[in-house]
Amino acid sequence: MSKNLEAVRASYEASAAGDINGILALLGPDAEWTEMAGFPYAGTYVGPQNVLEKVFGRLGSEWDNYQAVPEAYVDGGDTIVVYGNYRGTYLATGKYMDVRFTHVWQLEGGVAKRFEQFTDTALVQEVLRP
């Protein structure tokens, strides 16, 4: 297993354990984190603090038991692809979500330089609507 794959896998394990610092530890100081257009937190955020505030802070306050559950990892060296399911209940509507995702990570020496999310935003939007 490559160093990059080990680092990404550790980040998802930290996420499953509710360890936000463990997730952010993967990100380099200027890492770009892109949430897909149509997703509630759409945009590109630079740096761990910005990702914490704009993405994980909102996930923690707007969802019950939000999870990104990886199904498989594809090791492409400096590019790691993860696919799986987002799960959780949106607090404002009480609706449960179980939606597929693909995450593409660009890393160097076990440090993430870029993250990009792909998901079915129409299914996510259904959960957000009352």
Side-chain angles (χ1 to χ4, degrees):
M1 185 180 327
S2 74
K3 183 175 185 175
N4 288 333
L5 177 59
E6 286 178 31
V8 169
R9 188 181 298 269
S11 177
Y12 286 89
E13 290 169 359
S15 176
D19 177 9
I20 299 298
N21 290 329
I23 299 167
L24 298 175
L26 177 63
L27 303 179
D30 297 322
E32 294 181 2
W33 181 287
T34 301
E35 297 277 308
M36 192 169 176
F39 198 72
Y41 317 120
T44 298
Y45 309 103
V46 178
Q49 187 62 36
N50 208 10
V51 172
L52 174 63
E53 293 170 8
K54 305 293 185 182
V55 179
F56 290 105
R58 293 185 63 193
L59 288 171
S61 66
E62 298 175 8
W63 294 83
D64 181 40
N65 199 29
Y66 185 90
Q67 302 172 59
V69 181
E71 181 180 318
Y73 299 84
V74 181
D75 188 347
D78 288 344
T79 301
I80 306 295
V81 177
V82 182
Y83 60 90
N85 286 65
Y86 288 132
R87 297 186 179 127
T89 301
Y90 191 60
L91 294 172
T93 63
K95 293 181 182 178
Y96 180 75
M97 172 179 71
D98 190 347
V99 178
R100 300 291 286 165
F101 71 75
T102 299
H103 293 161
V104 179
W105 295 88
Q106 300 291 322
L107 298 97
E108 186 177 302
V111 176
K113 302 295 182 188
R114 193 164 196 294
F115 164 91
E116 189 166 1
Q117 168 209 57
F118 299 90
T119 192
D120 187 337
T121 58
L123 291 177
V124 175
Q125 289 296 323
E126 284 179 25
V127 174
L128 303 179
R129 281 193 292 273

